[in-house]
Amino acid sequence: MAEPPRRGHRLAALAALAALAGMAGCADRRPVSPLPVRPPTPAASTVGAAPPTSAAPAPAPSTAAPPSRVPAPSRSRTTRPAPPASTALPGACLGAVRYDLVLAETELALVRSLCFATGGVLRIRGIGPGEVTVDREDLVSRSYEAGVVDIRFVRTGTVVVTIPQDGRAYPITVVVV
C-alpha cells in the first residue's frame, strides 16, 4: 500500500513541473544562424592569376566527402573595390564636424584652407558681430552670439571666409564636399 504524499514531496513535484514548464518555451525557439564571416584578404591581388591548386589528391568517386567540410566561398578573392566617389571624402576633409577656431590662440596666417562635408560648422571664437565675411552667402548659414560666429556649410562648393585680425584680413578657403 502506498502512503499518501507528504507536503514536502508536493512542493518538490510542483517545483519540478514549474521548471519543466519554463523549459518548454525554450524548446520552441529555433537556432539562430551565425553572422557571415568574410574570407581573409590575400596579401596581393589575385586578378588574372591562375587558380591555386590543391596538393591533396581528390577523393575517389566511391568515397563521399566528410560532412565537416565547408564549401569554398563563391566570391573571388580579389582586393576590394573602392567605395563610390559620392560617399568617399578626400583624405584632408574633416567631415561634417564642428571646427573651433579660437582667435586668441590661432595664428591666422597659417590657416589657409579647410575642407568640410556638407553640414560642417566653422566656429570662430573671440570676434565681434559683423566682422567675419563670406563670399558665397548661398552656401552657408551664419549666426552670431556672445563673440562666437558659427558658419554652417549647407551646400557643396568653395567658400572664402575672411577674418579680420590686428588690422589685416585673413582669407580662409573652405571646400565643402
Side-chain angles (χ1 to χ4, degrees):
M1 180 143 189
E3 63 183 55
R6 293 187 203 153
R7 182 175 169 95
H9 291 309
R10 283 187 198 160
L11 289 177
L14 286 175
L17 284 175
L20 287 174
M23 291 178 143
C26 294
D28 196 29
R29 294 186 183 159
R30 296 183 184 143
V32 178
S33 61
L35 293 174
V37 178
R38 285 193 182 151
T41 56
S45 176
T46 59
V47 176
T53 58
S54 171
S62 62
T63 61
S68 64
R69 227 173 181 184
V70 177
S74 61
R75 301 193 297 194
S76 64
R77 293 184 177 212
T78 58
T79 57
R80 270 189 241 172
S86 63
T87 60
L89 290 175
C93 270
L94 300 173
V97 298
R98 185 183 81 199
Y99 184 84
D100 287 340
L101 192 61
V102 182
L103 296 182
E105 302 170 357
T106 305
E107 179 63 42
L108 286 177
L110 300 176
V111 183
R112 298 192 178 262
S113 64
L114 294 170
C115 182
F116 291 102
T118 305
V121 175
L122 175 61
R123 176 169 281 180
I124 304 165
R125 294 178 178 266
I127 192 135
E131 293 184 23
V132 177
T133 60
V134 294
D135 68 336
R136 297 283 311 268
E137 289 286 340
D138 59 321
L139 302 181
V140 300
S141 170
R142 296 191 297 167
S143 64
Y144 175 84
E145 185 176 340
V148 177
V149 174
D150 279 342
I151 302 173
R152 178 176 303 275
F153 301 97
V154 295
R155 290 184 187 80
T156 59
T158 303
V159 180
V160 177
V161 179
T162 306
I163 305 169
Q165 188 178 44
D166 299 328
R168 183 167 175 215
Y170 293 94
I172 299 173
T173 303
V174 180
V175 177
V176 185
V177 292

